[in-house]
Amino acid sequence: MTVPPAGTALAGGTNGPRALRPLLDTVLDALTTGAEDRAGPLPPGGPDTVTRAVRDACHPVFPDHGTGPHAALRTLVHTLAAGAADPADPHCAAHLHCPPLALATAADLAACALNPSMDSWDQAPAASALEALTSRALAALVYPQATDPDALITTGGTESNQLALLLAREAAAPAGTATDPHRPARPLQIVCGANAHHSIPRSAWLLGLPEPLTLPTPDGILTPDTVHTCFANLAGRAGPVLLTATAGTTDSGAIDPLAALADVAAQHGARFHIDAAYGGALLFSDTHRSALHGLARAHTVGLDLHKLGWQPVAAGLLAVPGPATLAPLAHQADYLNADDDTEAGLPDLLSRSLRTTRRPDILKIAVTLKALGRHGLGELVDHTLAAAQTLADLIEAHPRYELHSRPALSTVLFRPTGADDTTLATIRRTLLTDGQAVLGRATTPTGLWLKATLLNPHTQPGDLTTLLKLVEGHTPR
């Protein structure tokens, strides 16, 4: 037999760690040198400059004869790090894009090396048991009074919202066929606020549902009176309704009045879903968890731990109060979950996702929960939200800045006093092009605002002061 070429050692088995160790040294060195070359929150020069640097460093991407494992790792990892938007930099604060914990990242390496595929038990024996234990423990945080809460692992808020809409559609039409006489006369109608995540209307489109009724949210939150009026207008409509609320909007981090909206939904017999992809991590905090009062009254709740949970992407969940809610996802493929295997006691993993092949994303989550505990994660949440309050204080005290509102989570909207929308957009792009700061943008009824989304629990007041100075330095006088 021929000898396999260099670089083809496997990561698993008893010899895998021995093959990985020198490669990891190369990776870690390249991450270091790449970050040193970047020397900031993102590379300067803009898209053309970055694209040219990647092309020059990596050409040819697919040579006839390989360079060998260490050279390839050194080149590409260094190039990726040098050209990264690094959320570990306190001035990289545009999006819900967290710096992952080293602990979680190390756990994710083990998941990659073992490569369990979460679509059948015989591909992931221990991983499937760990997923069941961990997902149910997190679901119990959402539904503390439920007897048997459960959660599906998702790729994030978009998939969680899509699944929530699918489950609501199927709960309203259990027969599941358009020609069934027991199907309601009208399809599921979704009601959401203008502050809802864009994945709500997109999921409705994908699922063949009517366009959602989108209610105005001039103050950034969906109010019970607005929903009540909408439901009253729908009173003569024969058909099921799903109300969606948001616990942590992407624009400002605002949290809808969840308990009051749950009251309105119950009064009108509507199903209730809460997108808590951003704000759900407040459950870890003894200080802030009361902001989620009413969360447990939702039929479905979406969470994301790759936001205020500091996990590498992806780490989403959809929590439900009991397994019966997930029954519409039942699906059978003989080679993965044959009936006789399931009856013999092999866990059915295929019915826990719309995806077939899935990574064991639960491992990094489980390691983090085990290592830090609820109080440890709660302290990270508290530190991060405190940093947002500090930034808001600095803005309010600054004569040349305007604060949109006090932050509900870790998002702060601000702008130089008197700056118009064109000026704000130019400031943001200039900071990006110069590689000095990554700030987001949010459009509200009062115009365009710069958005600082703080997710780094190690950010210090001095970092925030410097960020404001950078913006001020690019503001026309």
Side-chain angles (χ1 to χ4, degrees):
M1 295 179 65
T2 59
V3 177
T8 60
L10 303 180
T14 56
N15 292 323
R18 189 177 301 112
L20 276 171
R21 194 175 302 278
L23 297 173
L24 293 182
D25 286 339
T26 299
V27 167
L28 296 176
D29 287 344
L31 285 171
T32 301
T33 60
E36 290 170 346
D37 280 2
R38 186 183 65 247
L42 80 169
D48 291 342
T49 299
V50 173
T51 300
R52 185 165 52 252
V54 172
R55 183 180 61 244
D56 292 347
C58 299
H59 181 79
V61 173
F62 192 10
D64 288 337
H65 301 284
T67 61
H70 290 277
L73 278 170
R74 189 177 301 110
T75 297
L76 273 83
V77 174
H78 174 99
T79 301
L80 192 68
D86 184 2
D89 189 295
H91 297 153
C92 187
H95 303 287
L96 289 165
H97 176 202
C98 78
L101 296 171
L103 170 75
T105 305
D108 213 28
L109 168 65
C112 290
L114 296 168
N115 207 29
S117 184
M118 305 296 295
D119 51 324
S120 68
W121 181 87
D122 56 354
Q123 299 175 80
S128 65
L130 184 64
E131 181 177 274
L133 288 169
T134 307
S135 60
R136 287 166 186 159
L138 288 167
L141 275 181
V142 178
Y143 297 106
Q145 305 302 321
T147 302
D148 194 16
D150 202 353
L152 301 180
I153 305 302
T154 71
T155 53
T158 294
E159 186 185 355
S160 294
N161 285 336
Q162 180 186 334
L163 280 170
L165 267 59
L166 172 64
L167 293 172
R169 186 192 73 179
E170 295 306 298
T177 62
T179 58
D180 191 283
H182 300 294
R183 179 179 286 271
R186 292 178 182 271
L188 178 73
Q189 178 63 65
I190 299 158
V191 176
C192 65
N195 64 345
H197 193 260
H198 65 84
S199 62
I200 296 293
R202 199 175 194 198
S203 295
W205 163 75
L206 184 64
L207 293 167
L209 295 170
E211 184 177 347
L213 292 175
T214 302
L215 307 182
T217 55
D219 296 323
I221 60 171
L222 183 61
T223 64
D225 288 345
T226 302
V227 177
H228 180 78
T229 300
C230 173
F231 282 176
N233 293 333
L234 289 173
R237 177 190 181 277
V241 177
L242 169 68
L243 173 63
T244 73
T246 308
T249 62
T250 53
D251 271 349
S252 67
I255 298 175
D256 288 337
L258 305 179
L261 291 175
D263 288 341
V264 177
Q267 178 184 350
H268 292 273
R271 192 177 173 95
F272 189 35
H273 167 64
I274 298 175
D275 175 1
Y278 183 8
L282 298 190
L283 290 170
F284 301 134
S285 168
D286 290 334
T287 304
H288 296 287
R289 63 186 299 139
S290 61
L292 298 179
H293 178 61
L295 191 74
R297 296 177 61 189
H299 293 82
T300 48
V301 175
L303 306 170
D304 263 13
L305 297 183
H306 55 244
K307 294 181 172 67
L308 280 173
W310 299 282
Q311 299 298 295
V313 173
L317 300 99
L318 180 70
V320 297
T325 305
L326 303 176
L329 297 179
H331 185 66
Q332 198 268 330
D334 194 63
Y335 76 105
L336 293 173
N337 61 342
D339 289 339
D340 58 322
D341 279 347
T342 303
E343 291 168 3
L346 296 186
D348 174 10
L349 304 187
L350 191 60
S351 298
R352 297 194 56 83
S353 178
L354 292 180
R355 293 173 285 149
T356 302
T357 301
R358 291 191 293 121
R359 297 185 73 250
D361 287 316
I362 201 63
L363 176 59
K364 61 199 175 192
I365 297 172
V367 167
T368 302
L369 299 180
K370 183 76 169 178
L372 299 183
R374 185 177 68 81
H375 290 293
L377 278 167
E379 288 181 13
L380 292 182
V381 170
D382 292 347
H383 283 306
T384 305
L385 269 61
Q389 295 296 330
T390 298
L391 178 57
D393 291 341
L394 292 170
I395 293 165
E396 285 189 321
H398 197 293
R400 296 192 182 93
Y401 282 117
E402 177 184 359
L403 180 69
H404 176 270
S405 56
R406 298 298 303 188
L409 290 174
S410 66
T411 297
V412 183
L413 302 186
F414 70 101
R415 61 190 177 193
T417 303
D420 59 24
D421 290 359
T422 300
T423 299
L424 282 179
T426 300
I427 291 171
R428 175 180 175 272
R429 285 192 292 268
T430 301
L431 290 168
L432 288 174
T433 302
D434 291 349
Q436 293 182 310
V438 190
L439 288 171
R441 53 188 290 165
T443 301
T444 77
T446 55
L448 187 66
W449 297 80
L450 295 175
K451 177 171 67 171
T453 308
L454 305 182
L455 293 181
N456 186 337
H458 298 286
T459 296
Q460 298 298 311
D463 300 319
L464 302 174
T465 300
T466 301
L467 181 62
L468 293 180
K469 288 180 179 178
L470 288 170
V471 174
E472 187 178 7
H474 289 82
T475 302
R477 300 281 178 85

